Amino acid sequence: MLGQNSVLGVLGAGTMGLGIAQIALQRGHRVVLFDSQTEKRDQASAKLRASLGRLVEKKAMTSQDLEEALGRFTAGTDLTPFRDADFVIEAIVENREAKCAIFGDLENVISDRCIVGTNTSSLSITSLSSNCRVPTRFLGVHFFNPAPVMALVEIIPGIHTDAETVANVRSLIDSWGKTTVVANDTPGFIVNRIARPFYGEALRIYEEGIADHVTIDWAMREFGEFRMGPFELMDFIGNDVNFKVTETIFEAFYYEPRYRPSLLQKRLVEANLLGLKTKRGFYDYRPGAIATEPRRDLTLGRAIFYRVLAMLINEASDALMLGVATAEDLDLAMTKGVNYPKGLLRWADELGSTNIYQELERLYHYYGEDRYRPSPLLKKLAQTGDRFFLAVQA
Ligand SMILES: NC(=O)c1ccc[n+]([C@@H]2O[C@H](COP(=O)([O-])OP(=O)(O)OC[C@H]3O[C@@H](n4cnc5c(N)ncnc54)[C@H](O)[C@@H]3O)[C@@H](O)[C@H]2O)c1
């Protein structure tokens, strides 16, 4: 069983690898890390000191805790220190060949009882595990950025993963104070799949000229109580990153029209208008830029919010029907992973599945596009008057 004395191995000293190493150090584990770039390895300890130092400033840990934590950390020049590891989390570049190569090297070093997890966002867990010597101990552990702050971790068993490995990892990560959900090995897992319409439908409304981005953002904040509107969030994530995730999921689902990427967002990427990091995206962040006011039309605002929400609920309903996760985990993933104000299935129960279904039927008939087809489970609930949560318990 994994526990507080377990040694964690981390592959990759980038954003995610260091974030995961920090969590484990804070929880008292010994951590061994490897990165193929010398400077990344050399900088790892100083970067961890800086981020843990901010916690000392906030009085979330003492200077002594910090020194002890760093005393348990080793960045090796090869994989040899991983022979002591009980659990390894891989967070290197998002490339199947690179990941499979390092798993091959790792399996020559680690013990047979060591569990291997990958933090991949978009690659199939089963495909990564199938090259491993012991695929039963391999699984996805998908942290969100910044890992020490974001509560959610998606746990994704591949076809070969045994149940004991899943239970063992879930209980360890729960003990770190994280919220874990178990997702089926399908593209985008839970969050990255179900969140697609938040961006995609907002972009579609904008492209159609129904409202501008400022008004759509206002509507989602005002009527949905989302912390950020879709365009603010795309600018924050980076249009390049957000576009790539959509494109990957669209392709992985064999060109499912629900996930079709937006040409408007593609043009922004081509123009290097990536958002906050380039000071221009949908919004202009340059000094002196003049902010545009939303069109505060309550009827329009409610219609925008309801359309985007209906598409999100449709996605969650299909994910439930297709066994991506339980209703409880689907809702937890969206509230803890992307801070949605409510779980989408509970939101549907509250608003009435019939109303959501009718909105989708309206869109489907108006546009005649498969993108708007209602989820069969939503249709069933609309017909029977059942609720997602009661329906699942029955
Ligand atoms: N950044 C995010 O928001 C985010 C969120 C969830 C999951 N992920 C996933 O986590 C993984 C890492 O992402 P990141 O953002 O930390 O990337 P990053 O570019 O910040 O870091 C990757 C690190 O891996 C190292 N590396 C590359 N090839 C290597 C190899 N063969 N052996 C050892 N080290 C190697 C690089 O030197 C680099 O330090 C990816 O699979 C990504 O999809 C990223």
Side-chain angles (χ1 to χ4, degrees):
M1 274 300 278
L2 295 172
Q4 221 205 324
N5 293 327
S6 300
V7 177
L8 185 79
V10 176
L11 293 168
T15 313
M16 297 308 290
L18 285 181
I20 295 164
Q22 181 189 324
I23 300 168
L25 289 171
Q26 281 178 254
R27 301 291 159 190
H29 294 276
R30 232 181 93 200
V31 175
V32 293
L33 175 138
F34 174 73
D35 194 290
S36 54
Q37 285 189 46
T38 315
E39 84 231 49
K40 293 283 186 141
R41 288 197 301 268
D42 292 349
Q43 291 163 358
S45 191
K47 284 188 175 169
L48 286 166
R49 179 177 287 281
S51 46
L52 290 171
R54 284 191 284 279
L55 296 177
V56 174
E57 278 166 27
K58 286 186 200 159
K59 306 212 181 311
M61 72 190 297
T62 64
S63 316
Q64 193 187 339
D65 291 339
L66 181 150
E67 296 306 331
E68 281 173 14
L70 289 175
R72 292 191 300 272
F73 176 72
T74 323
T77 51
D78 61 22
L79 293 176
T80 314
F82 283 67
R83 65 182 166 220
D84 297 333
D86 300 292
F87 179 28
V88 175
I89 300 180
E90 168 278 313
I92 69 163
V93 61
E94 186 74 342
N95 174 293
R96 186 175 181 277
E97 286 65 43
K99 287 187 191 288
C100 284
I102 207 156
F103 294 137
D105 295 341
L106 186 71
E107 282 196 307
N108 289 329
V109 177
I110 53 176
S111 69
D112 281 347
R113 59 170 169 76
C114 180
I115 293 176
V116 183
T118 171
N119 191 46
T120 183
S121 306
S122 64
L123 300 168
S124 140
I125 306 305
T126 303
S127 115
L128 290 175
S129 77
S130 54
N131 278 6
C132 292
R133 186 169 48 81
V134 190
T136 46
R137 56 145 164 214
F138 189 93
L139 80 174
V141 275
H142 187 221
F143 287 79
F144 290 75
N145 188 17
V149 176
M150 297 301 289
L152 189 74
V153 180
E154 294 177 332
I155 307 234
I156 312 111
I159 284 184
H160 298 294
T161 315
D162 61 30
E164 197 190 332
T165 299
V166 176
N168 208 346
V169 168
R170 194 170 195 185
S171 109
L172 179 78
I173 297 180
D174 282 342
S175 79
W176 291 351
K178 296 290 183 189
T179 301
T180 52
V181 291
V182 176
N184 212 341
D185 184 15
T186 47
F189 312 131
I190 302 177
V191 170
N192 281 340
R193 172 191 188 148
I194 294 184
R196 284 335 324 133
F198 189 66
Y199 316 107
E201 204 51 28
L203 282 158
R204 173 69 187 252
I205 292 168
Y206 185 25
E207 280 170 338
E208 273 190 51
I210 295 171
D212 64 9
H213 60 292
V214 189
T215 302
I216 299 168
D217 277 353
W218 164 76
M220 297 310 290
R221 284 193 316 266
E222 182 76 15
F223 298 101
E225 293 179 20
F226 286 89
R227 284 194 202 169
M228 287 172 100
F231 296 93
E232 292 166 313
L233 193 50
M234 286 184 273
D235 272 1
F236 180 76
I237 294 167
N239 279 303
D240 50 342
V241 174
N242 185 267
F243 181 80
K244 187 73 200 160
V245 175
T246 307
E247 196 178 49
T248 306
I249 290 180
F250 178 59
E251 287 166 5
F253 276 108
Y254 300 108
Y255 308 102
E256 161 61 59
R258 274 186 189 152
Y259 310 121
R260 180 174 294 134
S262 147
L263 282 176
L264 170 70
Q265 194 181 27
K266 184 168 192 209
R267 293 290 173 268
L268 254 67
V269 175
E270 289 165 350
N272 204 38
L273 299 178
L274 306 181
L276 265 178
K277 60 187 169 190
T278 57
K279 301 254 182 286
R280 271 179 81 194
F282 289 104
Y283 291 88
D284 193 338
Y285 303 92
R286 293 171 298 181
I290 297 161
T292 319
E293 283 299 305
R295 198 175 132 205
R296 288 191 171 81
D297 173 330
L298 300 186
T299 311
L300 174 69
R302 273 195 204 94
I304 291 168
F305 156 66
Y306 208 70
R307 175 167 164 175
V308 175
L309 183 68
M311 291 294 275
L312 284 166
I313 289 173
N314 205 34
E315 205 50 56
S317 172
D318 246 19
L320 179 64
M321 184 184 80
L322 296 170
V324 173
T326 63
E328 200 62 58
D329 278 4
L330 288 170
D331 269 14
L332 257 183
M334 303 316 284
T335 51
K336 300 286 184 182
V338 267
N339 294 323
Y340 281 14
K342 286 177 204 168
L344 292 166
L345 299 174
R346 283 207 169 75
W347 218 337
D349 283 350
E350 198 179 296
L351 295 174
S353 290
T354 313
N355 295 325
I356 303 297
Y357 172 69
Q358 281 167 354
E359 170 70 355
L360 290 160
E361 276 284 284
R362 183 188 72 74
L363 292 164
Y364 185 54
H365 285 292
Y366 181 73
Y367 290 108
E369 287 177 49
D370 218 23
R371 166 192 182 86
Y372 296 105
R373 70 187 189 279
S375 156
L377 176 59
L378 187 68
K379 182 177 178 177
K380 190 174 129 199
L381 297 195
Q383 284 165 351
T384 58
D386 279 340
R387 297 157 71 90
F388 277 105
F389 279 88
L390 289 182
V392 166
Q393 282 159 15

